[in-house]
Amino acid sequence: MKINKIMALLVAASLAAGSTSCLKYEKKANSHTTGTTTIVCDNTFQNIMEQEVDVFEYQYPEAHILARYATQAEAFDSLMSLNTKTIIAARDITDKEREIIKSKNRNVRSTKIAVDAVALIVNPANPVGKLTLKEVGEILSGESDDWNDIWPCDLGKISVVFDDKASSLVSYMRDSILHGKPLGANVFAQGSIPAVFKAVKDSKNAIGVVGVSWVTSDMASADMSKEDLAISVLGEEPVEGATLTDEVKVLALYNDKLSSEDARAYKPYQQYIFDGKYPLFRQMYMITTGASGSLAGGFYSFVTGNIGQKIIAKTGILPARMQRIQVELGN
């Protein structure tokens, strides 16, 4: 089934950050739209947050967001030690962590900003196009270590590739698919998301695990100038979600929680993330100790507001606050 047009998304929230037109810049000024602040972002969300930073700095040229991309554990370590005020992660802050920050005389806010689907990618020459969750689990555990176990072919041994052994994607797949059981000996860390793509493109027997924003055709936005990217989201018009790239094959997955009448495999399009038909998804959170009048607070308001949510919609994942306008599906 081919999707001819992905749903347009109209983001409902309004931007809380004010306009720079009413602010007079001073070299040492630090407000919700001026100054310098740092963030630490789970590196599986890097391509999303880079676009958020670019548009924010374009709209507020006296603001500077210094972003570091690291593992989720490193992001939380930085927040808890007060080395940064803001992090982006695939889980919310826990009550215990809130109490620790509160004991350091800091207030913390957290908001779900998106729902990210986890995509499985293979080389275009791989004949496999669909998997059940049971098959995914058998591949991850090493129980099925040859592609011929999945589909009659001569591809040989299955190589599963993640970005990092400490990646939040590893934690998600181990917890949600293997229910805490260890990964098999056929699972490897490549060092980065781009390296996962290279492994899949170079090896017909590889299967990669990435966030869906990395496999959309709108990845060209990452190469746009700040001005062009900003113009594409600063208007009143809703944005359209991206389609999936054809540089790699994105596998469709069966959802065993659906009724037998809906026994088909789904790819990680926004529509199927929205209605729960695509089975692998996780939450994306923004957490900050920055005050509302600080630059950290201003960037938090931006990402959770109208423009920030439109940027998320463009990347192919599901923004936390949106209104579905239209969905057209074709055969």
Side-chain angles (χ1 to χ4, degrees), residues 176-197:
S176 63
I177 301 297
L178 297 182
H179 308 292
K181 295 179 182 179
L183 297 168
N186 60 329
V187 178
F188 305 93
Q190 299 301 113
S192 68
I193 296 289
V196 171
F197 273 89

Side-chain angles (χ1 to χ4, degrees), residues 291-311:
S292 58
S294 68
L295 183 57
F299 187 59
Y300 180 86
S301 296
F302 174 86
V303 174
T304 60
N306 180 37
I307 297 171
Q309 292 285 284
K310 287 174 72 174
I311 294 169

